[in-house]
Amino acid sequence: MSEDKISMNHGAGGEVMANLISSTILDNITKKSVNGGISLDDLDDGASIPLGDYEIILTTDGHTIDPLFFPGGDIGRISAAGTINDVSVMGAKPLAISNAIIMQEGFPIEDLDKIIKSLNETCEEVDVAVITGDTKVMPQDKIDGIVMVTTGIGIAKKGSVVRDSGLEVGDKIIVTGSLGDHGMSLMSFREGFGFETDLKSDVAPMWNIISKALDIGGVTAMKDPTRGGFANAINEMASKAGVGIVLEQESIPIKEEVHAVSEMLGIDPFEVANEGKVVMGVKADKADEILEAIKNEKYGENAAIIGEVVEGDYVVVNTPIGGERILEAPIADPVPRVC
């Protein structure tokens, strides 16, 4: 495709998308922050608006899932969870979301009913309200099924917001569960390759897990490893902080089913989207306590300490056979339209 046209890679969360945002979107917007808060230029999971002793955290996300219903969830659950998680990884308590729906003419009302109920149930898990929204219908030849856009709002005490750029040398890296579940489960399901597996999407709201870690203290950085997967998230965190990271491959939780599907398809599970996981940087003296707290929460039973922050410029993975490899950010997500 010509360089002056949008391709699927431009929305896939990797290097291609980052270049588009930097060159076309950021360069054409002048005012990008309010009251000196975290700005659009920071490209964190959300932005902040300082107000007195607090900071309001705001984030927005569009969802174009294929298929709309998949093992472990649907577009309603992922729309709610994805936005709640973007607020949560900023260290803010999520309060409410808005929801805009753009539907194809002829879309089944029964399916819409299921989707909205799923969105509501996901919000109820972490006591988040749905307070406003919008609904539009377009001709069948203009849109495929349904698109949902959710905006989330949360609150944090001033000075307590967690940035994805906050890693420091000596920090430990924690992932809150197994990687690759969402992207690989959707890929095997929608493409109909006939894999016999119980693999399901991990889509879930993460605030209860994150709040436990914040209560203990020592959380220096967090990121929601969605588009571009873990590889994109950990590289972005390291690059923004100007540090290196050493990971232990044997410590990184990946389910056998994910390994099997990824090997059949030739896709690296580190590069596919997760929708119910958090990558955390934590102070070394708090790491074991935080890990124990996470493992005792719903969705956190497979959490693990997987590496540490070092001086350097690269994310390096130590392999089980004694070697090492550099883990780079993907050019684009190899599994499009999964979030």
Side-chain angles (χ1 to χ4, degrees), residues 19 33 64 71 87 104 189 263 316:
N19 290 339
S33 67
T64 60
V87 170
Q104 178 187 64
F189 177 73
E263 288 177 2
V316 176

Short mmCIF file of all heavy atoms in Angstrom, two decimals, residues 19 33 64 71 87 104 189 263 316:
data_model
loop_
_atom_site.label_atom_id
_atom_site.label_comp_id
_atom_site.label_asym_id
_atom_site.label_seq_id
_atom_site.Cartn_x
_atom_site.Cartn_y
_atom_site.Cartn_z
N ASN A 19 4.67 6.04 14.57
CA ASN A 19 5.13 7.04 13.61
C ASN A 19 3.98 7.89 13.07
O ASN A 19 4.12 9.10 12.87
CB ASN A 19 5.85 6.35 12.45
CG ASN A 19 7.18 5.75 12.86
OD1 ASN A 19 7.76 6.15 13.87
ND2 ASN A 19 7.66 4.78 12.11
N SER A 33 -2.39 19.94 26.77
CA SER A 33 -2.50 19.68 28.21
C SER A 33 -3.31 20.77 28.88
O SER A 33 -3.52 21.85 28.31
CB SER A 33 -1.11 19.58 28.85
OG SER A 33 -0.46 20.83 28.83
N THR A 64 -12.76 -2.25 17.64
CA THR A 64 -13.27 -2.81 16.38
C THR A 64 -12.96 -4.31 16.34
O THR A 64 -12.18 -4.77 15.51
CB THR A 64 -12.63 -2.12 15.17
OG1 THR A 64 -11.20 -2.32 15.23
CG2 THR A 64 -12.92 -0.64 15.16
N PRO A 71 -14.42 -16.46 22.73
CA PRO A 71 -14.27 -17.19 23.99
C PRO A 71 -13.71 -16.29 25.09
O PRO A 71 -12.63 -15.74 24.96
CB PRO A 71 -13.28 -18.31 23.64
CG PRO A 71 -13.45 -18.51 22.18
CD PRO A 71 -13.74 -17.15 21.61
N VAL A 87 -7.15 3.75 32.73
CA VAL A 87 -7.22 4.67 33.87
C VAL A 87 -6.46 4.08 35.06
O VAL A 87 -5.67 4.76 35.73
CB VAL A 87 -8.68 4.95 34.26
CG1 VAL A 87 -8.75 5.70 35.59
CG2 VAL A 87 -9.38 5.74 33.17
N GLN A 104 -24.01 -0.71 12.30
CA GLN A 104 -24.47 -0.94 10.94
C GLN A 104 -25.99 -1.08 10.93
O GLN A 104 -26.58 -1.70 11.82
CB GLN A 104 -23.82 -2.23 10.42
CG GLN A 104 -24.21 -2.65 9.03
CD GLN A 104 -23.63 -4.02 8.72
OE1 GLN A 104 -23.98 -5.01 9.36
NE2 GLN A 104 -22.74 -4.07 7.74
N PHE A 189 -9.69 -18.86 17.19
CA PHE A 189 -11.15 -18.97 17.11
C PHE A 189 -11.69 -18.42 15.80
O PHE A 189 -12.46 -19.07 15.09
CB PHE A 189 -11.78 -18.22 18.29
CG PHE A 189 -13.28 -18.20 18.28
CD1 PHE A 189 -14.02 -19.34 18.58
CD2 PHE A 189 -13.96 -17.03 17.96
CE1 PHE A 189 -15.41 -19.31 18.56
CE2 PHE A 189 -15.35 -17.00 17.95
CZ PHE A 189 -16.07 -18.15 18.25
N GLU A 263 3.22 -21.41 17.95
CA GLU A 263 4.17 -22.17 17.13
C GLU A 263 3.54 -22.59 15.81
O GLU A 263 4.19 -22.55 14.76
CB GLU A 263 4.66 -23.39 17.91
CG GLU A 263 5.62 -23.02 19.04
CD GLU A 263 6.04 -24.23 19.85
OE1 GLU A 263 5.62 -25.36 19.49
OE2 GLU A 263 6.81 -24.07 20.82
N VAL A 316 16.47 -7.30 27.20
CA VAL A 316 17.15 -8.56 26.92
C VAL A 316 16.44 -9.69 27.63
O VAL A 316 16.05 -9.56 28.80
CB VAL A 316 18.62 -8.49 27.37
CG1 VAL A 316 19.31 -9.85 27.16
CG2 VAL A 316 19.37 -7.41 26.61
#
